[in-house]
Amino acid sequence: MARWQPGTRERLQAVALQLFASEGYDGTTVARIAAEADVTERTFFRHFADKREVLFAGQDDFLAMFVDPIAAAPADTAPFDLVGRALDAAAGFFPEDRRSWSRARQGIIDANAALGERELGKLATLKARLGEVMRERGVPEPAATMAAETAVTLFHLSFAQWIAPGEERPFDAIVHERLDALTALVHPAR
Amino acid sequence: MARWQPGTRERLQAVALQLFASEGYDGTTVARIAAEADVTERTFFRHFADKREVLFAGQDDFLAMFVDPIAAAPADTAPFDLVGRALDAAAGFFPEDRRSWSRARQGIIDANAALGERELGKLATLKARLGEVMRERGVPEPAATMAAETAVTLFHLSFAQWIAPGEERPFDAIVHERLDALTALVHPAR
């Protein structure tokens, strides 16, 4: 069994994802993941609180990625530009070398109702946090909630397209296509 | 036990909702609902497939309310105007005398994870149907999906406000406030 070494966390994630895909999520134990990654279960639990967290680790970073650029924006930034800043930052969270992991992860989540719920919960938390940070900046209701919902919808649709079969464009190009589509929808050129 | 009579369905719904609130959803049986409404279980099952359907009956009407006005709109109607038509029709589905039922129903749903999931599934079905009808009208992607998501978000936020404690404005006033908020939020990129 290997002791602590750089890359252990990433190896555990890669091994777990393969096992979830081949044996099913419910059929995969932490013991099996640890054994396949050549570490002890104790090492697994140093990295992840439980099996599910292999798929949902980094949620604080995920939330901060959206919220921090909004909190840091100049005071007079329009709410829709805050949304754009958050989405631009999100694009940095999904570089090309993450796409195959994200596709595989989504396959596992779509196959398991409880994981799907956990994922929806993540987006609901994001909506709530974005609404809060908008209100903290003085954006009134219902604009604050509308901005938060819009940001999460744009993110969610962009992410779904980014991992769609055959899609090769980078995340930011897909986000901007959807921002433009929303703008054209709401303010059609006459 | 009463035989078929007008209003039986509404009485079953009212009785069920009271029991769900006082005894809990899981703790309420169809037998109890039927007994309290003074009908046989067989009569209950003539009106509802199961206990859950008391809360989710009329889903086809709910979907049609959004979809039909879009399908019936003139060919050159802009997608955002299709969204507005659907939401105007939705307002007709939620008259004042439905508000207290809707508030009580939401309380039951919020207290039960499985019912919450069912409700989310209803909105997901609505999104999918709206996307379809937009595409059938020749709206391209990603505009069709964006319009569908926007319609459901506007509906969902409006409904949540309509049943909020102390809210007394009619559904259509709340919808238009949110349509205006979205219009004010979204602006072309500089």
Side-chain angles (χ1 to χ4, degrees):
Chain A
M1 294 282 178
R3 288 171 169 271
W4 176 277
Q5 46 177 282
T8 301
R9 180 185 176 87
E10 290 69 28
R11 197 166 74 252
L12 281 166
Q13 285 185 305
V15 163
L17 205 63
Q18 280 187 325
L19 286 169
F20 293 162
S22 59
E23 319 286 315
Y25 175 78
D26 288 330
T28 301
T29 61
V30 167
R32 179 76 192 279
I33 297 168
E36 292 277 334
D38 198 25
V39 301
T40 61
E41 285 190 60
R42 192 166 160 184
T43 295
F44 176 95
F45 288 117
R46 266 207 302 267
H47 290 281
F48 302 103
D50 56 34
K51 182 173 79 170
R52 200 177 65 168
E53 283 313 297
V54 174
L55 298 170
F56 292 97
Q59 178 161 357
D60 289 348
D61 292 344
F62 176 79
L63 292 174
M65 166 186 84
F66 285 89
V67 169
D68 291 353
I70 295 179
D76 61 349
T77 309
F80 198 53
D81 294 328
L82 297 174
V83 169
R85 275 173 183 253
L87 291 169
D88 284 339
F93 205 69
F94 297 100
E96 188 52 39
D97 63 7
R98 199 186 175 103
R99 180 141 39 182
S100 63
W101 156 269
S102 292
R103 280 188 174 126
R105 175 183 176 278
Q106 195 66 41
I108 308 299
I109 287 174
D110 290 345
N112 184 298
L115 295 177
E117 251 183 84
R118 176 71 180 74
E119 184 79 343
L120 287 176
K122 197 170 106 174
L123 294 180
T125 302
L126 176 59
K127 268 183 205 169
R129 280 294 294 126
L130 288 174
E132 273 169 27
V133 73
M134 291 280 176
R135 286 187 292 275
E136 281 162 17
R137 291 182 61 93
V139 179
E141 289 293 6
T145 295
M146 188 64 64
E149 290 271 345
T150 299
V152 174
T153 297
L154 288 166
F155 166 71
H156 162 72
L157 294 180
S158 300
F159 182 79
Q161 183 59 38
W162 185 63
I163 61 171
E167 179 59 73
E168 295 184 348
R169 290 173 297 165
F171 200 95
D172 64 344
I174 297 170
V175 162
H176 281 102
E177 186 183 64
R178 271 142 197 79
L179 272 164
D180 290 346
L182 179 62
T183 305
L185 174 71
V186 174
H187 296 290
R190 323 260 147 173
Chain B
M1 294 283 178
R3 287 169 169 273
W4 177 275
Q5 47 176 283
T8 301
R9 179 185 177 85
E10 290 68 28
R11 197 166 76 253
L12 281 166
Q13 285 186 306
V15 163
L17 206 62
Q18 280 186 324
L19 287 169
F20 293 162
S22 59
E23 317 286 315
Y25 175 78
D26 288 328
T28 301
T29 61
V30 166
R32 179 77 192 279
I33 298 168
E36 292 278 334
D38 199 25
V39 300
T40 62
E41 284 190 59
R42 192 165 158 184
T43 296
F44 176 94
F45 288 117
R46 268 207 303 269
H47 290 281
F48 302 103
D50 56 33
K51 183 174 79 172
R52 202 177 63 166
E53 285 314 295
V54 174
L55 298 170
F56 291 96
Q59 178 160 0
D60 288 349
D61 293 344
F62 176 78
L63 292 174
M65 165 187 87
F66 285 88
V67 169
D68 291 353
I70 293 179
D76 61 349
T77 310
F80 199 52
D81 293 330
L82 297 174
V83 169
R85 276 173 185 250
L87 291 168
D88 283 340
F93 205 71
F94 298 100
E96 188 52 39
D97 64 7
R98 197 186 177 103
R99 179 143 37 186
S100 64
W101 155 269
S102 292
R103 279 188 174 128
R105 176 184 176 277
Q106 195 65 43
I108 309 299
I109 287 175
D110 290 346
N112 185 297
L115 295 176
E117 251 182 86
R118 175 73 178 75
E119 184 80 343
L120 287 177
K122 196 170 106 175
L123 294 180
T125 302
L126 176 59
K127 269 184 205 169
R129 282 292 295 124
L130 288 174
E132 273 170 27
V133 73
M134 291 282 175
R135 285 186 293 275
E136 283 163 17
R137 292 181 60 93
V139 179
E141 289 294 5
T145 296
M146 189 62 66
E149 290 270 345
T150 300
V152 174
T153 297
L154 288 166
F155 166 71
H156 162 73
L157 294 180
S158 299
F159 182 79
Q161 183 59 38
W162 185 62
I163 61 173
E167 180 60 73
E168 295 183 351
R169 291 173 297 165
F171 199 96
D172 64 346
I174 296 169
V175 162
H176 281 101
E177 186 183 64
R178 268 139 201 82
L179 273 165
D180 291 345
L182 180 62
T183 305
L185 173 71
V186 174
H187 59 71
R190 282 129 218 267

